Amino acid sequence: MNQIVSHLRPDTKASSDSIRQRTLKSAIGCAGIGLHSGNKVTMVLHPAEAGTGIAFRRVDIAGGGAIVPALWSSVGDTRMNTCLKNEDGVVVGTVEHLMSALAGMQIDNCLIEINGPEVPVMDGSAAPFLFLIECAGVVEQDAPRQAIKILKRVVIKDGERSASLTPSSGFSVRFEIDFGASAISRQEFFVNLSRGTFKAEVSRARTFGFEQEVAMLRAHGLARGGSLDNAVVIDSTGTKVLNDDGLRYTDEFVRHKVLDAVGDLYLAGAPLLGHYHGVRAGHAVTNQLLRALFADRSAWELTTIAPGSAAAPFAAQPLSLAANG
């Protein structure tokens, strides 16, 4: 199938005891630099009607082709980021950190207006986007919240890289990485993301890269906006972090891979009820996993989230950007 119909009809109403869909209470905006383009971009998050999901609108492009759905089927490029592309060729890149924040705050419906082809990188994590959402406020809508329930194991393998989804009553992520650089080495992290742990355990982990790769990436049109202000950079010896403020978590590298995976998985079009396990996986493997999932109709079902379940919304708490080792 080309696309999952994961959102309810606009006339579908929530019952009195339903877990309801959520959107922003008011519009809120930010400005920043694109990680790969290096260009300044402004972005505004808007409330959206129940059942409409997450979508981007390029305000610098006229006409109906300016809308880019935030769905797995719209992913057009996965080199060092997740880039969405609609049928008219209009793109919005580096969406994974914002999508991760929307997932972490359990925002079902949002229209994102942006005046360029790339989401601003901010500090390289999802924390600034969580802060924006909390400042805007969150409201419930008169439609039940649904989730994609994983019914059987789905796996993608690409050499040493792999990713899988298996059945679970909530949503959890385990990730493993292994780098030759001793500053990273082998790291593994597990988190259950159904009860608000995303903000404290994952949201502040920044994207990372290697000093010796910067020139090569920029020659290929990537990382032109990257700096120590928005990425953790490992020195050319692989032994030292160049950022003066050090790491936000002792295992910030693997936690950022979890952050990326959460954002890429939210392109499913609805929250997942399942366990994701990534081993050296990146944007490409995770998108391939979603494509394999939706290609097998026996591997998933759409279900209404029950009150009190592991997937029920959490109570949002004020966000702190203070260091947390």
Side-chain angles (χ1 to χ4, degrees):
M1 61 184 299
N2 292 326
Q3 185 169 305
I4 179 177
V5 181
S6 60
H7 300 104
L8 300 181
R9 299 187 308 275
D11 60 348
T12 302
K13 302 295 183 181
S15 63
S16 59
D17 63 344
S18 294
I19 297 299
R20 297 168 182 252
Q21 292 181 30
R22 291 150 61 98
T23 191
L24 302 185
K25 187 175 183 179
S26 61
I28 193 164
C30 66
I33 299 297
L35 175 63
H36 295 298
S37 67
N39 296 329
K40 185 175 181 180
V41 61
T42 59
M43 184 174 73
V44 181
L45 311 183
H46 291 274
E49 295 295 321
T52 57
I54 311 292
F56 292 85
R57 179 163 64 200
R58 287 279 301 275
V59 297
D60 57 323
I61 293 176
I67 299 294
V68 183
L71 289 169
W72 59 274
S73 53
S74 298
V75 173
D77 193 351
T78 53
R79 293 175 303 159
M80 306 295 292
N81 77 110
T82 295
C83 182
L84 303 173
K85 184 177 182 179
N86 69 11
E87 294 178 352
D88 296 296
V90 176
V91 302
V92 179
T94 319
V95 303
E96 58 271 17
H97 302 168
L98 174 58
M99 291 301 300
S100 197
L102 293 167
M105 288 298 293
Q106 301 189 349
I107 300 299
D108 300 286
N109 307 296
C110 184
L111 177 63
I112 303 147
E113 291 188 335
I114 189 167
N115 70 345
E118 187 179 17
V119 172
V121 67
M122 310 305 281
D123 72 347
S125 77
F129 300 129
L130 258 73
F131 184 73
L132 283 175
I133 294 167
E134 289 185 335
C135 288
V138 178
V139 294
E140 292 186 338
Q141 299 175 283
D142 193 13
R145 191 167 204 245
Q146 291 189 317
I148 299 159
K149 184 178 181 180
I150 306 302
L151 301 179
K152 68 180 186 182
R153 186 171 187 260
V154 179
V155 62
I156 291 291
K157 293 184 178 181
D158 180 12
E160 294 183 331
R161 299 177 176 88
S162 68
S164 64
L165 284 166
T166 50
S168 175
S169 60
F171 176 46
S172 58
V173 174
R174 181 182 299 277
F175 215 104
E176 302 173 41
I177 60 174
D178 195 352
F179 285 83
S182 62
I184 304 176
S185 190
R186 188 184 187 281
Q187 296 182 1
E188 182 174 353
F189 185 68
F190 169 85
V191 62
N192 188 319
L193 291 160
S194 299
R195 289 297 187 186
T197 53
F198 175 84
K199 181 167 63 176
E201 301 293 333
V202 177
S203 71
R204 296 173 51 256
R206 295 161 294 176
T207 192
F208 61 93
F210 298 88
E211 183 182 28
Q212 70 272 20
E213 294 180 352
V214 171
M216 179 270 292
L217 289 171
R218 289 178 176 171
H220 287 82
L222 300 169
R224 292 178 177 175
S227 72
L228 294 175
D229 293 327
N230 54 42
V232 177
V233 180
I234 309 302
D235 77 341
S236 58
T237 69
T239 62
K240 185 173 68 174
V241 171
L242 293 177
N243 305 65
D244 289 337
D245 57 349
L247 298 176
R248 294 178 175 177
Y249 310 90
T250 55
D251 54 356
E252 185 168 359
F253 305 101
V254 71
R255 292 190 194 220
H256 185 78
K257 297 294 285 186
V258 169
L259 186 155
D260 279 348
V262 170
D264 287 339
L265 290 170
Y266 208 45
L267 295 173
L272 296 178
L273 293 182
H275 173 67
Y276 171 90
H277 184 192
V279 179
R280 299 183 177 182
H283 305 296
V285 171
T286 301
N287 184 251
Q288 290 168 23
L289 181 65
L290 287 181
R291 292 177 183 272
L293 172 69
F294 294 122
D296 184 353
R297 192 59 186 83
S298 68
W300 62 275
E301 68 179 7
L302 204 58
T303 184
T304 299
I305 299 175
S309 71
F314 58 87
Q317 301 295 326
L319 177 68
S320 171
L321 294 181
N324 177 16

